[in-house]
Structures are given as C-alpha cells and as structure tokens.
Amino acid sequence: MEKKEMIYEGKAKKVYRTEDPYELIVDYKDDATAFNGQKKGQIAGKGAVNNTMSNIMFGILEEKGVPTHLVKQISERETLVRAVDILPLEVIIRNVSAGSFAKRYGVEEGILFDEPTFEFSYKNDDLGDPLMVESHALALKLATKEDIEVIRKYALTVNEEMKKFFLEANLRLIDFKLEFGRDRETGKIILADEISPDTCRLWDVDTGEKMDKDRFRRDLGNLEETYRAVLERVKEKA
Ligand code: TMP
C-alpha cells in the first residue's frame, strides 16, 4: 500500500493517506511528550517498540472479540490501519492508584482497587484533556449512549485480557488509556490509537519497578532499555 500525503501529525505519530479512502498508514515517532506537551524529549527506538507492541496487543484483543483498527504492520514503525474518526474521549481504566488519581484524591500510589475504575477525559489539548463525566460527553454530543455502552464493554474486556497477558510477562497493569474511533466505512466503533508503554502503566511484579512512560515523565532514566525490555517480554508471551 503506497503512502500518500501526510494528513495529520500528533505528538507521537504521523498519519498518511493511502489510495484506499478507508485505510491509512500510521508512522510512529521517537518523540516523547508529557504534561500536555510542556516536557519534550526523544526515546530512541520508541516508535518501533510502540508500533510492534501495539500490533501484538491488538491482535490478541481481536481474538477476544474487541474490533481494532489494525490491518497489518508494514515496517518497524509503520502500520496500515482502518480509517476512523476518533471520538474526542480518552478512556482510562485503573486497577491500582497512580498518577492523576493519586494526585487528585491525595492518596499514595499502589492501592489495589476491588473493581477497575472507568473514566473519560475530554481529548482537547487547549483545555489540557480535562476529566469529563458521562452526562457532559452526552450533552456535548461527543458520543451516544449506545457508543458509550459499547466502549465500556470493550474497555473492560481489554482490561481483563491485558491484565492476564501482562501478568504472564511479570508486569502488573496499573492503568491505561484507550481511544476509540468510528470506522469511516462501516460506522462501527473500533479500538484505535495504540497500546504501549506510553499509554499504560506497567510495574514489574517482583521489584515494583516502573516500566512505562513514567520513567520519562519523572526523569527516572533507562528509557530506551525499559521500552525494549517491555517489548521483549511481550514478544516472549505473545
Ligand atoms: P493519569 O494517571 O495521568 O491520568 O494517566 C492514566 C493513564 O493514561 C496512564 O496509564 C497514562 C495514560 N495517559 C495517556 O496515555 N495519555 C495522556 O495524555 C495521559 C495524561 C495519560
């Protein structure tokens, strides 16, 4: 599939048109940002890791009944995906307190929840992706009730399957962010964006070591090594 002009450039990926209006090529960058782009850097090899890891995860999830945008990986950094209109809602699932949850409620990180939590952020960089309750998403017509029910069902399945999978790789799935889109051809809601150490918190089961983008956010070092190690563990168990 031939790469035509770039139609979008985000913080971590570029998106290109192809000759098929219903398929796009995503090209993963090594750029890393945090705090809504205020902190900027590069993690060598991150693009290749996130691309490959995300495709492995999406392949597993497809088998478990979660439709995704994945068509096929075409190079280390590039993947052919279904064209979607991304819903401007970041879907966040948490199993253990960390990050903005710990900060918002003034609790320590590492509290295991009885049930996963489910929340939305409004995907809007100008506003800093604020937390959004469901009725506000409905009021602004960002999604329908049916969309939200489908998204909740898929997101909880993703959590159950990924928790099991990562545990086999000796990683605890603390929390993660998903983005869904509407397939431009079929109109169906499918999982899009990526599943990677940029979008998940993963802690080593034995040591509790952070093996995700918090190493960049918090200047913990060993960035390249950590991303590579996560991919190695994932590949071993896939
Ligand atoms: P948070 O604790 O900062 O709200 O992050 C929750 C999860 O979402 C964590 O796994 C990191 C991920 N995340 C993103 O993928 N993109 C973002 O812009 C933010 C803020 C978090």
Side-chain angles (χ1 to χ4, degrees):
M1 188 72 72
E2 204 195 319
K3 210 166 165 181
K4 303 226 178 219
E5 77 273 13
M6 187 172 82
I7 53 171
Y8 173 80
E9 178 164 9
K11 292 193 283 268
K13 297 188 271 311
K14 295 177 187 170
V15 181
Y16 295 83
R17 204 165 65 74
T18 67
E19 61 255 39
D20 182 336
Y22 301 119
E23 294 189 345
L24 302 172
I25 290 171
V26 293
D27 187 340
Y28 284 70
K29 305 194 282 189
D30 284 350
D31 296 350
T33 65
F35 316 117
N36 201 17
Q38 287 176 61
K39 181 181 170 95
K40 288 194 178 72
Q42 287 250 320
I43 302 174
K46 175 170 89 74
V49 167
N50 287 8
N51 185 36
T52 303
M53 173 165 164
S54 200
N55 291 341
I56 292 171
M57 302 314 297
F58 282 12
I60 292 169
L61 293 170
E62 287 271 356
E63 283 178 21
K64 303 294 178 185
V66 179
T68 78
H69 72 171
L70 174 63
V71 179
K72 70 167 193 285
Q73 185 160 338
I74 52 186
S75 75
E76 252 200 337
R77 290 169 182 279
E78 296 164 309
T79 294
L80 186 65
V81 299
R82 298 288 303 164
V84 298
D85 293 307
I86 291 281
L87 300 180
L89 291 171
E90 300 196 343
V91 177
I92 296 164
I93 299 270
R94 302 177 193 270
N95 297 304
V96 174
S97 66
S100 70
F101 182 99
K103 196 163 177 218
R104 172 170 293 114
Y105 300 115
V107 297
E108 78 262 35
E109 298 197 309
I111 304 165
L112 175 65
F113 303 146
D114 290 341
E115 298 283 336
T117 67
F118 176 94
E119 82 207 39
F120 292 121
S121 287
Y122 181 26
K123 190 173 154 66
N124 183 318
D125 281 343
D126 292 341
L127 301 177
D129 297 343
L131 184 68
M132 179 177 253
V133 297
E134 183 178 325
S135 64
H136 291 182
L138 292 171
L140 291 175
K141 295 196 165 35
L142 305 182
T144 66
K145 270 193 177 158
E146 294 71 33
D147 292 338
I148 291 175
E149 272 327 295
V150 168
I151 287 171
R152 189 191 315 275
K153 188 184 81 181
Y154 288 159
L156 292 172
T157 303
V158 171
N159 186 43
E160 289 313 309
E161 296 304 330
M162 291 212 313
K163 254 197 313 192
K164 268 191 279 180
F165 177 82
F166 283 124
L167 211 49
E168 285 179 28
N170 217 38
L171 292 167
R172 280 179 86 196
L173 177 61
I174 304 303
D175 57 30
F176 59 94
K177 185 259 313 187
L178 301 175
E179 294 185 24
F180 290 87
R182 199 181 301 286
D183 186 297
R184 283 198 192 141
E185 186 173 25
T186 67
K188 294 246 167 13
I189 298 283
I190 62 176
L191 181 60
D193 193 51
E194 65 180 274
I195 294 180
S196 72
D198 274 11
T199 63
C200 301
R201 282 196 176 91
L202 298 165
W203 296 356
D204 183 89
V205 169
D206 299 321
T207 64
E209 193 188 347
K210 295 185 191 341
M211 301 199 58
D212 55 61
K213 196 173 154 189
D214 273 346
R215 301 204 74 82
F216 171 76
R217 295 188 188 100
R218 303 177 189 190
D219 297 319
L220 301 175
N222 287 335
L223 302 172
E224 289 89 341
E225 296 85 340
T226 301
Y227 275 73
R228 253 189 282 122
V230 170
L231 178 61
E232 283 317 309
R233 291 197 199 185
V234 164
K235 274 180 162 172
E236 230 172 75
K237 297 298 162 189

